[in-house]
Amino acid sequence: MKLKFYRILFGIRGWFTSALNHFGTQADLEAEISHHLEQNQHHLESSGLSSKQARKLSLREFGNAERLKEECRDNWGMQTLSNITRDARFAFRKMSKNKVTTLIAITILALSIGAATSVFSIVNTVLLNELPVPNPQELRMIYWKGSQTKIRSCSNDYVKQMGPTSISDGLSHPIFLALRERCRDYAEVFAFDLVKESTAQIGNHTFATKLLLVSDNFLSGLHAKPAIGRGFEASDVAQSAPNVVISHDVWAKYFHSRPDAIGSTIRLSGDLYTVIGVAPNGFEGVNPGQAISFYLPMTENSRFLHKPLSTDWHWGTRTMLRLKPGAKDKQVKQLLDAAFIPMIADLAQEPEIVLATGHAGQRCSIPPSGRFRSGHQLRHFARLRSGRVLPNHHTLYNPDFRGIACNSSLIRKSH
Amino acid sequence: MAKHGFPQGTLEMMIMKVISSGSHHGWGIAQKIHLLSNEALKVEEGSLYPTLSRMQRQGLIEGKMAPSENNRQAKFYKLTPLGKLQLEEESKKWESMADAIARVMSASPESQF
């Protein structure tokens, strides 16, 4: 045991000493060899040989000094190092001879490294990053599943019959309110709805932007404490107050981080809004990769919705919850189911609430069962990253509205 | 026979034995083995120095440059604690091995089978 331990310890020390002291060891070896030759010569002289003969004999006995040095260097582990240097020099010479091949090889390498890096950065943002809020592990995404459900886009009466079993993240606003109320003691349920295309006007600057319509408890539920000002309150929603919370980036870029940004007005898709707060630094909403610049209250007659919120047209309300201390997933799911199932009984069979991880926001939540839409999400995200925001069934531009309508809706067939 | 002319591992063992009584430089080690073996063994330089460097890397011995008896710089080797342990173990093994071989070789023809 002791021997084994010593072997490891002294083995490491020995390797480091010879590897780090490469040039010292080299010089030492030279000195050692010449000392050996000299000693041997003296020894031979003392046995009666002339100095010249002794020198000659000593050299002969010693043999090939260069080979000996090489063997010693091998033992120091230095041969590998000098081999690498030699190979690198050789490669460089070869490369400068075949410039075209080299250029092609370098280009291919650069492109593939670039591609790998960007794929990683997408995966990192979509799948790995946690939301920059305290205790993200307490967050859950709320999905629901059912069979024989019908999905209809609220803007063009397109009805899509879903397969035998489907999983969805969209809920109607009345259902959200019922869920929120039912598990008030165990979890804070909050809602959001992404508006991907809008225009913002701040002073002389006009730019395209993304909005998030949020329930009044969105920021407080996430524990995203505003950097300055305040978040939304129940009165903002009740009174449809034209208030907006801006992102930290917008505050820094267009207001130069001045505190008097609070109270100033900006235009979103043409309408005036008053800035009441600034989201915390680094917080970009709950859709990683889709940085949100403005948060608006999700109000009954929001111009960003096709129809009043309380009708059951709007099945695009996404919901999340934060478990309160001590609350269990199972317990919360039971409460949510109790509120949810009676409300959806006519629209789907075997409906059920599904709680999924929410630590990284919406795009990477993984439902415990059912269809994981990461492939679709990744492709969509890649389009967003490349700047080509294409309308799909989530984003539908409706010229009748001054704003943009979004989200598919699941509704009762009216006839 | 190993390439340096001694049974495998025995050169290392002899080197460790020689420097267990005090540090020696390369030439001194070779000379001492030569004398102690009644001039029967001669360590080739071509195998002595690579062996020394290997043992150094294994941490069995350590070398230090110091002036020798003729005032020239030489490397003096001494055992590390690992080397001491290794020497004890190897000499035990060697004794039992030599003993066993000796018994086989000295067996009388009658005692076979």
Side-chain angles (χ1 to χ4, degrees):
Chain A
M1 187 63 203
K2 194 178 172 189
L3 189 67
K4 226 176 209 176
F5 173 71
Y6 269 41
R7 224 170 249 165
I8 296 170
L9 193 75
F10 282 92
I12 293 170
R13 197 183 80 162
W15 189 86
F16 267 105
T17 324
S18 46
L20 292 180
N21 194 17
H22 178 202
F23 296 106
T25 326
Q26 192 105 287
D28 287 357
L29 184 64
E30 300 274 352
E32 216 176 352
I33 290 170
S34 63
H35 173 261
H36 184 105
L37 288 171
E38 214 165 281
Q39 283 283 4
N40 213 16
Q41 191 182 339
H42 284 311
H43 181 71
L44 291 168
E45 275 174 25
S46 63
S47 63
L49 287 179
S50 73
S51 162
K52 204 177 166 186
Q53 279 172 321
R55 175 86 191 151
K56 214 172 161 184
L57 191 58
S58 166
L59 275 172
R60 190 175 337 133
E61 277 184 356
F62 196 88
N64 189 342
E66 284 312 310
R67 210 179 122 197
L68 183 143
K69 282 184 209 165
E70 191 114 319
E71 267 188 66
C72 290
R73 269 201 294 274
D74 272 355
N75 286 337
W76 301 332
M78 279 305 141
Q79 200 55 26
T80 351
L81 194 69
S82 56
N83 276 350
I84 290 170
T85 329
R86 205 172 49 209
D87 286 353
R89 267 197 225 118
F90 176 71
F92 191 74
R93 269 203 311 277
K94 277 276 176 199
M95 285 192 326
S96 49
K97 268 184 199 162
N98 302 316
K99 290 203 175 66
V100 179
T101 322
T102 309
L103 199 70
I104 292 168
I106 289 175
T107 315
I108 289 171
L109 268 177
L111 287 176
S112 40
I113 291 169
T117 315
S118 47
V119 166
F120 175 75
S121 77
I122 291 173
V123 170
N124 184 38
T125 321
V126 176
L127 297 175
L128 307 176
N129 268 0
E130 287 193 336
L131 292 177
V133 295
N135 302 322
Q137 74 284 355
E138 291 171 0
L139 298 170
R140 300 286 180 275
M141 283 296 308
I142 302 176
Y143 290 87
W144 67 275
K145 67 176 180 181
S147 55
Q148 311 302 331
T149 56
K150 301 168 193 81
I151 285 190
R152 185 160 87 164
S153 160
C154 62
S155 61
N156 58 2
D157 280 7
Y158 173 72
V159 179
K160 190 178 173 194
Q161 188 95 24
M162 296 298 277
T165 309
S166 62
I167 190 156
S168 169
D169 55 358
L171 285 170
S172 77
H173 199 258
I175 289 180
F176 154 64
L177 293 176
L179 298 183
R180 179 178 172 184
E181 186 54 40
R182 183 59 71 100
C183 59
R184 188 173 286 281
D185 294 338
Y186 296 94
E188 186 70 43
V189 181
F190 47 92
F192 57 95
D193 193 351
L194 181 65
V195 180
K196 285 172 184 160
E197 289 163 21
S198 173
T199 50
Q201 194 185 340
I202 302 174
N204 299 325
H205 306 279
T206 306
F207 55 96
T209 186
K210 294 187 185 81
L211 311 172
L212 203 63
L213 303 181
V214 297
S215 59
D216 58 75
N217 60 345
F218 177 79
L219 290 173
S220 59
L222 281 165
H223 294 178
K225 196 174 175 293
I228 58 162
R230 64 174 178 90
F232 294 115
E233 290 160 5
S235 60
D236 290 309
V237 172
Q239 295 158 14
S240 298
N243 289 342
V244 61
V245 170
I246 60 174
S247 73
H248 205 275
D249 281 357
V250 167
W251 183 44
K253 192 168 174 188
Y254 298 101
F255 293 98
H256 308 290
S257 302
R258 285 195 316 266
D260 63 8
I262 303 298
S264 59
T265 52
I266 61 170
R267 272 179 197 279
L268 290 171
S269 291
D271 282 355
L272 278 173
Y273 289 85
T274 308
V275 177
I276 58 162
V278 174
N281 195 4
F283 181 79
E284 298 184 327
V286 290
N287 305 61
Q290 306 207 45
I292 300 297
S293 304
F294 303 98
Y295 302 86
L296 296 177
M298 192 185 275
T299 56
E300 174 68 11
N301 292 307
S302 170
R303 56 166 306 175
F304 296 100
L305 300 170
H306 279 82
K307 297 207 190 280
L309 199 57
S310 58
T311 65
D312 67 354
W313 273 87
H314 286 284
W315 280 74
T317 304
R318 267 70 176 173
T319 46
M320 283 180 80
L321 61 82
R322 183 187 276 278
L323 295 172
K324 290 192 172 163
K328 298 273 177 299
D329 280 278
K330 208 173 160 189
Q331 194 176 31
V332 171
K333 180 185 147 44
Q334 276 172 359
L335 288 170
L336 293 173
D337 274 342
F340 174 69
I341 294 171
M343 293 183 83
I344 197 153
D346 297 346
L347 299 167
Q349 287 162 22
E350 301 157 24
E352 190 189 349
I353 288 287
V354 176
L355 289 183
T357 55
H359 63 279
Q362 192 189 19
R363 290 230 162 252
C364 97
S365 59
I366 299 165
S369 61
R371 197 157 47 97
F372 178 40
R373 307 190 307 168
S374 66
H376 160 76
Q377 287 168 354
L378 275 175
R379 279 196 299 282
H380 183 65
F381 183 73
R383 284 204 297 271
L384 290 170
R385 286 284 287 223
S386 65
R388 291 191 303 130
V389 184
L390 301 176
N392 58 11
H393 69 282
H394 286 301
T395 51
L396 295 158
Y397 178 66
N398 187 336
D400 295 342
F401 285 83
R402 281 178 300 163
I404 302 298
C406 84
N407 293 322
S408 59
S409 287
L410 182 150
I411 67 152
R412 206 183 303 245
K413 249 185 162 177
S414 48
H415 45 274
Chain B
M1 286 296 223
K3 64 176 178 183
H4 47 59
F6 298 103
Q8 188 120 38
T10 46
L11 178 60
E12 281 94 334
M13 189 173 69
M14 286 189 287
I15 291 173
M16 287 194 286
K17 177 73 188 170
V18 165
I19 57 175
S20 65
S21 54
S23 61
H24 279 284
H25 47 67
W27 187 81
I29 292 169
Q31 202 57 22
K32 204 159 175 191
I33 290 175
H34 186 60
L35 294 174
L36 286 173
S37 66
N38 255 343
E39 307 198 351
L41 298 176
K42 182 150 175 44
V43 185
E44 296 287 335
E45 289 80 356
S47 55
L48 173 69
Y49 287 98
T51 306
L52 284 171
S53 72
R54 191 175 58 246
M55 289 170 76
Q56 243 179 304
R57 203 194 62 190
Q58 289 168 344
L60 294 170
I61 58 172
E62 55 191 358
K64 205 173 177 185
M65 293 304 281
S68 72
E69 55 274 17
N70 61 0
N71 240 353
R72 290 285 304 266
Q73 282 290 311
K75 200 169 195 174
F76 284 81
Y77 295 94
K78 66 170 191 180
L79 280 185
T80 64
L82 170 67
K84 277 177 197 157
L85 282 179
Q86 182 86 0
L87 176 61
E88 271 174 38
E89 181 142 324
E90 300 239 326
S91 25
K92 264 186 232 157
K93 265 192 208 162
W94 172 254
E95 270 165 35
S96 63
M97 177 66 86
D99 218 38
I101 294 174
R103 268 202 300 271
V104 171
M105 298 313 286
S106 63
S108 58
E110 296 82 44
S111 65
Q112 286 182 17
F113 303 109

